[in-house]
Amino acid sequence: MELVPLADGFGVEVKGVSLLDVATDAQAYKEVRAAFETYSLLVFRDQQIADDIQVAYSRAFGPLELTKVASLGANSFYSRLTNVGEKGEIVPPDHRQVLVAKANALWHTDSSFKKTPALASVLTARVLPDAGGETEYTSTRLAWERLPADLQEKLKTAVATHSYANSRDQIHPDLANAEERKALPPVRWRLNWRNPVNDRRALYVASHAYAIDGMDDRDARQLLAQLLDEATRPEFVYSHKWRQGDAVMWDNRAMLHRGRPWDYTRERSMVRTTISATEADGLSEVTPPVVH
């Protein structure tokens, strides 16, 4: 297995090992898992892309999330991200599926709004437009290390509230529908996540976060915005230009990502599988104390 660096301090292209190898060979899994823990972002090129291979690969890393209500692929392992409608037509730019793509253009970490947050996501390219639609990534582990020591100390015990509706409301007031708001009530997580494998902390923020325990609303939103800005400074961002056959995996404990726009009259279809965090992944590290 060969690892080719993609960015400064995070992200590698994995060569010589396929998704199928990881799903079926314990040694291949062990090597790729070690790379995942160290580099947070893995890119596989020229893969055999199929739903069953993607799920088999993803399942090697832990339990799979079911796609949330009111989504394409709801209640399955597959989140289908596309601007193609049920009859094979390209949907108009004000269609919910395009608005979802626009919401994904906010910096976020997947599933921080769920009762069990995500360890990792695996995204595969199925149909790509001629241009645009890149996915940008940045390391919140490196962002944490850039913070002043006194702020790190303050954030070690700070707890933020995340909600799906908070990020969707930034795009359109009706994008998060009543069913989603009911199924996905606000949740609270610490503002950092320590990786138990290598003892490195990462800032845990997202466009889903909007409040911090013990701070007034305005100050909390201001601090969250500052932390997001620091983490996503352009010089620290890797932009992935998709090619057919690409599979990209990232660590949601230690990465932020966002999708970039494309010509929405052109098809772009992607499939994401998401792996839930467990105790082995440091879930207790990010879980705040219970408030009585």
Side-chain angles (χ1 to χ4, degrees):
M1 183 175 88
E2 184 189 354
L3 302 176
V4 181
L6 296 170
D8 190 8
F10 73 95
V12 288
E13 181 183 342
V14 180
K15 292 186 166 183
V17 173
S18 71
L19 300 187
L20 204 50
D21 292 335
V22 174
T24 56
D25 182 283
Q27 185 59 31
Y29 164 73
K30 191 176 167 189
E31 290 179 22
V32 170
R33 179 74 193 225
F36 167 79
E37 298 287 0
T38 301
Y39 298 105
S40 307
L41 174 71
L42 307 180
V43 172
F44 297 82
R45 301 273 196 191
D46 305 316
Q47 296 299 298
Q48 245 186 302
I49 302 292
D51 285 357
D52 57 347
I53 292 175
Q54 184 168 341
V55 149
Y57 171 88
S58 304
R59 194 178 259 137
F61 291 82
L64 298 190
E65 247 187 38
L66 291 176
T67 297
K68 65 168 189 59
V69 297
S71 300
L72 290 182
N75 219 31
S76 76
F77 295 136
Y78 307 101
S79 179
R80 302 195 183 274
L81 307 164
T82 181
N83 60 332
V84 174
E86 289 175 9
K87 297 171 185 159
E89 80 287 10
I90 302 282
V91 297
D94 59 350
H95 191 279
R96 179 180 165 84
Q97 286 167 227
V98 176
L99 294 177
V100 165
K102 290 178 177 177
N104 285 335
L106 299 170
W107 285 107
H108 64 288
T109 180
D110 288 334
S111 301
S112 73
F113 53 81
K114 290 190 173 179
K115 285 179 182 142
T116 303
L119 164 67
S121 300
V122 180
L123 188 62
T124 57
R126 304 303 176 92
V127 180
L128 293 169
D130 297 336
E134 299 85 4
T135 306
E136 293 183 341
Y137 297 93
T138 193
S139 168
T140 56
R141 183 186 287 170
L142 297 179
W144 175 267
E145 290 167 4
R146 292 195 301 271
L147 295 176
D150 58 335
L151 184 54
Q152 286 181 352
E153 279 308 307
K154 180 179 164 186
L155 295 178
K156 271 183 189 173
T157 53
V159 174
T161 302
H162 297 240
S163 108
Y164 180 75
N166 182 67
S167 60
R168 271 41 195 171
D169 287 348
Q170 295 173 49
I171 302 299
H172 191 283
D174 301 327
L175 183 50
N177 65 25
E179 187 184 12
E180 289 171 309
R181 288 172 194 268
K182 186 180 175 190
L184 299 164
V187 291
R188 297 162 63 252
W189 303 115
R190 291 190 191 276
L191 267 165
N192 71 99
W193 195 327
R194 188 186 72 88
N195 182 324
V197 171
N198 53 32
D199 199 36
R200 293 180 73 184
R201 283 182 197 274
L203 192 57
Y204 195 60
V205 289
S207 58
H208 310 305
Y210 64 92
I212 298 173
D213 287 11
M215 285 182 78
D216 77 56
D217 193 48
R218 189 173 161 215
D219 289 348
R221 286 184 182 270
Q222 191 173 8
L223 176 57
L224 289 166
Q226 285 171 348
L227 293 171
L228 264 182
D229 286 349
E230 170 55 43
T232 60
R233 277 161 50 189
E235 63 266 37
F236 301 122
V237 170
Y238 163 70
S239 179
H240 184 71
K241 293 176 174 55
W242 290 91
R243 299 196 317 225
Q244 215 62 45
D246 278 0
V248 178
M249 179 188 198
W250 62 91
D251 186 341
N252 282 300
R253 302 169 299 176
M255 299 290 297
L256 285 166
H257 67 284
R258 67 174 178 178
R260 302 308 290 144
W262 73 96
D263 176 353
Y264 297 117
T265 66
R266 305 279 179 189
E267 180 179 354
R268 183 177 184 271
S269 293
M270 316 288 282
V271 175
R272 190 185 73 232
T273 43
T274 309
I275 301 133
S276 293
T278 65
E279 273 310 309
D281 307 313
L283 185 54
S284 62
E285 295 284 342
V286 78
T287 305
V290 177
V291 178
H292 294 291

